Amino acid sequence: MTIIANRGTTAPTDTPHEIERYPLFDRMVHWGVALTFTYLLLSGMALAYPRLAWLQTWLGGGQTVRAAHPWVGVVFTVGVVLMIVQWARQMRFEPTDREWVHRMRAYTRTGHSGVDVGRYNAGQKGYFWFVVVFSLILFVTGIPLWYPWMLSSGWNQAARLIHHASYLAMLAGFIIHVYMSTVMLPGTMSAMTTGKVTRGWAAWHHPRWLREKEGAGE
Ligand code: HEM
């Protein structure tokens, strides 16, 4: 397929025929992670900031929130482990990723890097590993907060600080991820809803991935 230059900021979405980007299981894991993350985000805010304690009434009451937060954290972590099993191989960095990083400014302006990107660009790979690292930090530091008698109060304070800092980092990453998937890059959401994207979207954002799929007869 010829890639036609497009001076706009969006992918051409009028090409017929969609191709599969995510099978049902991948989407279920992603939305399971998104749902549990949203609960953790809100219940974490309710527990951490007295001014936001009113959120607890929405989430089942103070005692429920305190009891549910760590268990939902366990489910979230299991989801992230499944994401690692599904995607880690495809998220390995490769030499063309360096080129993508050099063109990141152009990418944030136009939504297009001009690099022959495969299934994921360097930004997506970076976000994936960021989620993996910070989710594991949140899990490990969450355990002593769940069972405070395990460690001395000094270590507990350190765990609380790291847990909170990681939570803020994940919040920032989440806002950027949602903005990019919905507003900034039209045509992307269908990848995680119907599991399909248009060939125009794929040619624009992931041309090498599209060639590989077409080469495999899709
Ligand atoms: C609820 C809001 C969310 C929306 C609307 C959303 C949307 C999406 C979409 C459309 C994709 C496919 C992108 C593509 O294939 O090009 C994606 C991928 C991904 N999502 Fe989400 N997502 C959300 C929440 C989350 C959360 C909470 C996490 C993890 C904490 C997460 C982690 C990922 C990862 C690692 C990928 C693969 C790499 C990437 O495309 O960035 N997502 N998401």
Side-chain angles (χ1 to χ4, degrees):
M1 163 179 284
T2 325
I3 300 164
I4 302 160
N6 179 340
R7 290 169 64 82
T9 57
T10 60
T13 48
D14 53 350
T15 341
H17 308 305
E18 295 181 310
I19 50 168
E20 183 177 69
R21 186 147 170 88
Y22 294 106
L24 181 63
F25 185 72
D26 288 23
R27 280 177 278 149
M28 281 169 59
V29 170
H30 175 268
W31 290 122
V33 165
L35 209 73
T36 46
F37 182 80
T38 307
Y39 183 87
L40 291 167
L41 204 67
L42 295 175
S43 53
M45 277 183 198
L47 290 169
Y49 302 108
R51 277 175 169 232
L52 296 176
W54 55 268
L55 274 172
Q56 292 180 1
T57 36
W58 279 22
L59 300 168
Q63 299 231 349
T64 310
V65 169
R66 180 63 187 82
H69 182 88
W71 282 111
V72 177
V74 171
V75 178
F76 168 77
T77 310
V78 170
V80 172
V81 170
L82 288 175
M83 271 186 169
I84 297 173
V85 174
Q86 284 168 347
W87 293 340
R89 261 169 61 93
Q90 301 157 30
M91 295 291 184
R92 282 186 303 209
F93 287 100
E94 49 192 353
T96 49
D97 290 328
R98 206 179 283 268
E99 187 56 34
W100 188 92
V101 172
H102 285 144
R103 300 201 198 170
M104 213 160 95
R105 268 188 77 179
Y107 181 79
T108 47
R109 275 204 314 272
T110 65
H112 190 239
S113 67
V115 177
D116 193 21
V117 172
R119 181 161 190 193
Y120 294 105
N121 64 38
Q124 290 175 293
K125 291 177 185 178
Y127 181 62
F128 174 81
W129 292 113
F130 167 89
V131 166
V132 168
V133 168
F134 279 98
S135 301
L136 293 182
I137 295 176
L138 281 165
F139 181 69
V140 170
T141 54
I143 291 173
L145 302 182
W146 198 0
Y147 299 107
W149 44 262
M150 276 175 61
L151 298 174
S152 68
S153 76
W155 281 109
N156 274 337
Q157 291 296 344
R160 188 176 300 278
L161 189 72
I162 298 169
H163 197 76
H164 199 104
S166 308
Y167 157 83
L168 292 176
M170 284 284 272
L171 173 62
F174 175 71
I175 292 170
I176 296 168
H177 178 65
V178 174
Y179 171 73
M180 291 186 74
S181 308
T182 53
V183 180
M184 184 177 153
L185 305 173
T188 304
M189 257 316 265
S190 66
M192 272 303 170
T193 50
T194 62
K196 295 194 169 87
V197 288
T198 64
R199 280 175 202 268
W201 180 93
W204 186 243
H205 293 296
H206 303 278
R208 182 155 53 85
W209 173 68
L210 178 63
R211 284 201 309 279
E212 283 162 9
K213 292 221 53 128
E214 289 183 336
E218 282 189 45

